[in-house]
Amino acid sequence: MNSNQIVLDGTEIDLATLRRIAAGDVRIEIADTAIDRVQAGRDSFMAALDRGQAIYGSTTGVGALKDVEQHGSEMVEYTRSLPFAHQVAVGEDVPDGLVRLTMALRLNSALTGQVGVSVGFVRFLQKMLEKGLLPVMNVRGTAGAADLGQMGQLATVMAGEGMARLNGRKMPAAEALALAGMAPYPMPPRDGLAAVATNSFGLAKAAMYIIRAGCTLRREMALALMAAQAMGQSRDVWLAAGHNGLPQERWVALWLLASSADCDWPKANRVHDPLSARMIAQIFGASANAILEAGRAVRAETAHVDDNPIVVDGRVVTSGGSLLLSLSMRMASVQLALAHLARNAFNRCLLMVNGQLEGLPVNLVPPGVVATGYGPIMKLALEQVVRVTDASTPVSVLNQAVAAGLEDEAAFISLTAWRLAEQLDALDWLQAVEAILSAQALDLRGVAPAPGVVEHLYRETRRHVPTLTRDIPQSAGITAVREALCSHGLQAELLELAPLSPFDDILGIAPEPETERNASTRPKQEHMQ
């Protein structure tokens, strides 16, 4: 198989492949066996229709109108117009990568053959992706028991209405379809509801932000190591965790020890360090475990059919599979993990500036210098911690009921993903502060940065912020450090310098992933259970 080609077949998709799909650097093909399954599912659906079975969203209305029946021409017109009724999303435009991944996830679950859609439906989605024809989606409009607002925008574009982007150019859907050599899709029975009633948008967002959380954690591990060296923290606690810690704590402890071997490590005259310094392996281990579990949940959902109804053993049956609660709960664990990471990072920053550690004066002002130093930057750091903590409250337990009380459960996957985004944005700024303080602390103690990730971070920080010898404006420097830390290039370099396997592989962030990841990563995932 060509390395730029991905064959979807209705089975699980690993996170590295999800990243590639979102990036748009792959061509999506459909396995022949999947087409056979789709046709078999369609045959079962049409047979049920011919028998006169009442089928939700085809011979009946949807939501509060589930008992309103329509047949013949009324049914055809109803299913054709379903997308328009659900095209209600508003707000800022969704990035193209997220839209692209949403479409691919809808396509993949339909390839199970359990949705009952026509072969024309999956071929149309595939061709849209091939041509670079994406619906314009907006961020607001879903509760998370089917992303009706955003998926309605996809379905509307398929039907030739609404707004689309063709290779990045925004235009009316009818124009985009014509330029792509495609006619509007007629939305026959079942296809209209299948285009609308799925959680593909929320799942795509969850995937992207959980992957980003993995990158953030790995960057924070390197920054924590940099701060630990600057403070002269005892490494004995990592030795202890490496011997008697939980498995995830051992991974982190061994990584910390290996990444700080053979370096100039200051010796402190303390019996032991504050808890925020001693418990790095425990905090990062638990956080890594939460992110891994969320990543596994995303992967499982990529092959999960969350439609209603579905085809089972040739029968069309009703389903409650649209509640992705297992994923939602794991995402809530990631919210808590990010809050703990933020608190731990902030506490390290406090330790560096509070004047209680040998060799590190108050606000990291060099001896003999009259300056305020890095006191005010801690207000910025504190704001970020509050933001991360505020966004850590789970939303899936919020009570809601719509559709005349019939739809009274929701997982709020999309809203949870946005909360993760808020947390990750704040952590980016907090990490910039930690990098600047750690570099200053290393300079004050006259310590050479540990070879590897610490040295790399130090050099990158000093490219944008010089050693503080007098008070200077800091906003531009902080911003530049944040942008550098978040760059794809630096992230890849840090991961290559000090990999953490199998975390990096499962989260899809390891440099140069294998081309056949769907099969090759599964044994690693099972091994870590």
Side-chain angles (χ1 to χ4, degrees):
M1 182 177 68
N2 189 308
S3 62
N4 291 324
Q5 175 181 305
I6 291 173
V7 178
L8 297 183
D9 60 2
T11 60
E12 291 182 3
I13 308 173
D14 65 85
L15 274 65
T17 301
L18 295 180
R19 289 185 75 189
R20 295 179 66 203
I21 292 172
D25 59 358
V26 294
R27 177 188 176 92
I28 292 179
E29 300 290 344
I30 298 175
D32 291 340
T33 53
I35 292 296
D36 293 340
R37 285 197 298 271
V38 172
Q39 186 59 60
R42 184 63 176 181
D43 291 344
S44 296
F45 170 82
M46 294 304 297
L49 205 61
D50 291 341
R51 290 194 301 269
Q53 178 180 337
I55 301 176
Y56 179 77
S58 294
T59 67
T60 77
V62 296
L65 301 175
K66 67 179 180 63
D67 294 321
V68 178
E69 295 188 10
Q70 58 265 324
H71 302 279
S73 60
E74 284 185 349
M75 177 180 65
V76 173
E77 176 57 27
Y78 180 79
T79 57
R80 188 196 70 81
S81 64
L82 263 178
F84 309 145
H86 290 86
Q87 198 248 44
V88 297
V90 296
E92 311 93 84
D93 287 359
V94 174
D96 284 356
L98 190 51
V99 175
R100 188 180 298 110
L101 184 56
T102 297
M103 296 170 65
L105 289 170
R106 168 67 288 190
L107 171 59
N108 192 63
S109 60
L111 293 177
T112 61
Q114 298 172 22
V115 181
V117 295
S118 64
V119 171
F121 178 85
V122 297
R123 289 296 189 195
F124 196 91
L125 280 175
Q126 178 195 16
K127 192 166 186 181
M128 287 180 71
L129 289 165
E130 177 187 327
K131 297 289 186 179
L133 200 168
L134 309 177
V136 172
M137 289 184 178
N138 303 106
V139 297
R140 298 175 184 269
T142 173
D147 301 313
L148 301 178
Q150 289 80 14
M151 299 310 294
Q153 291 179 312
L154 166 60
T156 296
V157 167
M158 292 174 69
E161 301 287 344
M163 296 298 294
R165 282 192 176 88
L166 182 62
N167 297 316
R169 288 177 53 215
K170 194 172 183 177
M171 64 186 74
E175 181 181 347
L177 287 167
L179 289 173
M182 301 171 66
Y185 190 68
M187 292 295 174
R190 186 66 190 102
D191 290 8
L193 184 61
V196 169
T198 179
N199 290 290
S200 300
F201 174 68
L203 179 58
K205 283 204 298 185
M208 289 297 93
Y209 289 122
I210 288 168
I211 290 170
R212 183 179 164 191
C215 292
T216 296
L217 178 134
R218 294 288 281 107
R219 190 165 57 242
E220 188 58 42
M221 286 175 64
L223 286 164
L225 183 61
M226 185 179 180
Q229 185 188 17
M231 291 186 290
Q233 174 190 327
S234 171
R235 289 179 287 181
D236 286 347
V237 291
W238 302 339
L239 185 64
H243 280 271
N244 72 352
L246 296 172
Q248 62 269 23
E249 297 167 4
R250 291 199 296 270
W251 305 333
V252 174
L254 295 175
W255 183 94
L256 290 166
L257 289 168
S259 299
S260 61
D262 302 321
C263 73
D264 180 14
W265 196 271
K267 292 186 178 180
N269 297 318
R270 302 184 292 272
V271 174
H272 61 221
D273 297 299
L275 293 178
S276 58
R278 277 187 282 151
M279 295 179 174
I280 289 176
Q282 287 74 21
I283 293 167
F284 280 89
S287 299
N289 201 51
I291 295 170
L292 276 177
E293 289 301 317
R296 291 191 182 104
V298 165
R299 177 166 177 157
E301 291 292 350
T302 61
H304 172 225
V305 177
D306 61 353
D307 294 78
N308 177 39
I310 63 173
V311 177
V312 178
D313 295 331
R315 296 178 55 218
V316 178
V317 299
T318 189
S319 169
S322 61
L323 187 69
L324 309 189
L325 194 55
S326 180
L327 172 59
S328 181
M329 289 182 174
R330 282 160 176 77
M331 292 172 69
S333 294
V334 175
Q335 289 178 268
L336 290 174
L338 295 178
H340 281 283
L341 288 176
R343 183 178 69 178
N344 186 239
F346 180 75
N347 286 338
R348 279 194 299 276
C349 292
L350 276 178
L351 288 173
M352 285 188 280
V353 301
N354 67 11
Q356 300 301 306
L357 298 179
E358 56 201 84
L360 299 181
V362 173
N363 291 351
L364 300 179
V365 177
V369 173
V370 178
T372 301
Y374 284 121
I377 202 175
M378 291 303 297
K379 299 294 181 66
L380 171 64
L382 177 60
E383 181 201 7
Q384 307 321 304
V385 177
V386 172
R387 286 177 179 270
V388 175
T389 305
D390 182 60
S392 67
T393 304
V395 296
S396 67
V397 294
L398 296 177
N399 188 42
Q400 64 84 39
V402 293
L406 295 171
E407 298 176 6
D408 53 1
E409 290 285 352
F412 296 105
I413 296 292
S414 182
L415 288 175
T416 302
W418 286 134
R419 290 206 171 186
L420 288 178
E422 292 171 3
Q423 291 181 293
L424 293 166
D425 287 345
L427 272 164
D428 288 347
W429 290 109
L430 181 58
Q431 289 183 338
V433 173
E434 186 175 8
I436 292 170
L437 297 181
S438 298
Q440 180 73 7
L442 286 169
D443 288 345
L444 286 171
R445 302 196 71 166
V447 174
V453 292
V454 172
E455 185 179 28
H456 214 69
L457 285 172
Y458 176 86
R459 284 203 312 263
E460 195 63 34
T461 303
R462 284 289 172 251
R463 282 184 58 227
H464 306 286
V465 176
T467 302
L468 186 145
T469 57
R470 61 185 178 86
D471 287 334
I472 59 173
Q474 297 185 49
S475 298
I478 297 168
T479 302
V481 171
R482 175 191 174 277
E483 291 176 355
L485 292 177
C486 295
S487 68
H488 177 74
L490 180 64
Q491 184 75 40
E493 290 164 0
L494 293 177
L495 293 173
E496 189 169 0
L497 282 168
L500 181 66
S501 183
F503 181 89
D504 298 348
D505 299 298
I506 295 173
L507 268 294
I509 61 177
E512 299 180 4
E514 306 161 34
T515 56
E516 297 286 347
R517 300 192 62 85
N518 280 356
S520 66
T521 60
R522 190 169 291 118
K524 293 180 181 178
Q525 290 193 356
E526 293 172 353
H527 177 71
M528 292 186 63
Q529 293 294 334

